[in-house]
Amino acid sequence: MKKIYSLFLVVSVIISIGFSKNFLSERFFEYQIGVPVDISNNAINLDDIFQKTLTLDLTKIAEEMPSEGLNIIVNTKPYMAINLNIACIHIGMKAGVDVYEKMGISKDLFDFLGKGNEVGETLTFDFNNYTDLFAFCEADVGIDFDKFSIHVIPSLFAPVFSSSGSIAKVTFLNDEEGNIIFTIDTDVSVYSNLDAFNEKMVSDLFSSGTGFDMGVAASLPFGSKLTFSGTARFPIVPGSYKYVYSSSYETTMTMNLLDSASNSSDSDGNIQDLSKEVLNERVYINRPMKFNLYANYYPMGNIVQFCAGAGIGVYHPFLNESFVYPEYYLSAGVNLIDLIKASISTEYTNQIFKHQIAFGINIRLIEIDCGVSLQSTNLMKSFSNNGFGAYAIVSIGF
């Protein structure tokens, strides 16, 4: 009987604490470091690559390749932050870098490698690349009353370099006379605020081209079990680039397979070495604009939480190459008096499908949160090893 009573008492204490904040809920002052990394693609299973003997079935890859071709995305946002919580007031500062890389290769290349081509058929292979790297510094000022909160997050960002669009086009033709004609045309332009030929290039980065955007976050409770929240980030002043680095290469190679005596080939082309040009007019850029809404359900206070969210993102808003993409987020988590936390989630954010398991432990002086995920740019492929992600956040304070 005493054991049952003791167990009932412990469970009652945990539940009562779970409905309110406690000693572990937040630190007055904390220093935080976060490192998230996402690497994914939409076609190639990583199990086929990371093995002792590498075997690639090109025919199978060609048959399973999506119509948009191969997409590879690398995304990371390491940062350092300092947070101060006094009563209901939150003040924070964060600085880091925001890196997004997306490379695309057309399906025709994989069809050619896996299935070959017909005589007289001209094949065209396209290579695209989208790269953005920003350095940023932002403030976070807000008011938190239990589940009601409102935060404003002004941010300065310095564009480091960007590249978008086609970087190469390759054509291939073999005709009835046995001629193989192979053409390569590359034209790469990278915009930057770094003077790569100047020793003071780092100081040049922050001397001009800095942009400004504004983030907001708010939550509003509806009763004791339901809370609605939202986040947004929208551009105010665009960043800009001062330099453009260009390089191009164009060549045509011809070989006749029927001329076995000479087995010769001819080629002609021209090469433009890497050059730097100071732009007469600034090239402007904005970080992605985002709007997301969430519904959070707490059936047992803070102990169990379910979350559902949806929104949109806009890549390079208000620019010629901008496009809109949807986002969603679903999760379920448990929280044991803010000492131990665990959750599972599925989402489509930053153009990546991700399925994640997360875990956190908090003893107030130090808190460690981490997670691992399977992911891909293709929904069905995201349930296999087509990509992985991981993050770790360490918070130290009192």
Side-chain angles (χ1 to χ4, degrees), residues 14-15 38 54 68 125 134 147 159 172 184 194 201 207 228 261 271 276 291-292 296 344 346 356 382 394:
I14 292 175
I15 292 176
D38 297 311
L54 178 62
E68 68 269 21
F125 315 131
F134 302 98
K147 290 184 175 65
F172 178 89
I184 301 175
L194 296 176
M201 63 178 184
S207 63
F228 290 100
I271 301 175
K276 183 196 74 173
F291 299 93
N292 290 279
N296 300 276
I344 57 173
T346 181
Q356 180 169 269
S382 64
V394 178

Side-chain angles (χ1 to χ4, degrees), residues 82-244:
I82 295 176
N83 297 309
L84 183 65
N85 300 290
I86 302 175
C88 61
I89 305 298
H90 171 86
I91 301 173
M93 292 292 297
K94 179 188 292 185
V97 294
D98 193 346
V99 182
Y100 180 83
E101 161 70 22
K102 180 180 180 180
M103 178 179 292
I105 303 175
S106 63
K107 176 178 170 59
D108 292 336
L109 175 60
F110 299 93
D111 289 338
F112 170 67
L113 295 176
K115 303 176 181 179
N117 70 307
E118 300 291 336
V119 175
E121 179 185 8
T122 300
L123 300 178
T124 301
F125 315 131
D126 292 314
F127 298 81
N128 300 304
N129 187 72
Y130 298 86
T131 303
D132 284 325
L133 194 156
F134 302 98
F136 69 90
C137 179
E138 66 184 31
D140 183 351
V141 180
I143 300 175
D144 300 296
F145 289 104
D146 195 16
K147 290 184 175 65
F148 171 81
S149 66
I150 182 167
H151 288 240
V152 293
I153 311 169
S155 179
L156 290 173
F157 65 92
V160 181
F161 59 80
S162 290
S163 174
S164 62
S166 176
I167 58 173
K169 179 175 290 187
V170 178
T171 60
F172 178 89
L173 169 67
N174 60 325
D175 59 25
E176 295 179 352
E177 287 75 31
N179 294 311
I180 293 179
I181 304 172
F182 192 69
T183 302
I184 301 175
D185 184 5
T186 68
D187 187 3
V188 180
S189 295
V190 177
Y191 295 95
S192 179
N193 282 317
L194 296 176
D195 186 351
F197 305 105
N198 187 338
E199 294 180 355
K200 299 180 179 179
M201 63 178 184
V202 176
S203 62
D204 290 343
L205 175 63
F206 295 95
S207 63
S208 61
T210 303
F212 176 74
D213 53 33
M214 177 66 72
V216 293
S219 63
L220 182 65
F222 283 78
S224 60
K225 296 184 178 181
L226 183 63
T227 298
F228 290 100
S229 60
T231 62
R233 183 174 70 190
F234 47 90
I236 303 296
V237 178
S240 62
Y241 287 114
K242 183 178 181 180
Y243 307 110
V244 58

Side-chain angles (χ1 to χ4, degrees), residues 1 5 57-58 96 102 186 188 206 233 238 242 258-259 298 314 323 352:
M1 187 69 181
Y5 177 77
D57 188 339
L58 296 178
K102 180 180 180 180
T186 68
V188 180
F206 295 95
R233 183 174 70 190
K242 183 178 181 180
L258 300 180
D259 188 2
Y298 303 86
V314 183
F323 59 85
I352 297 174

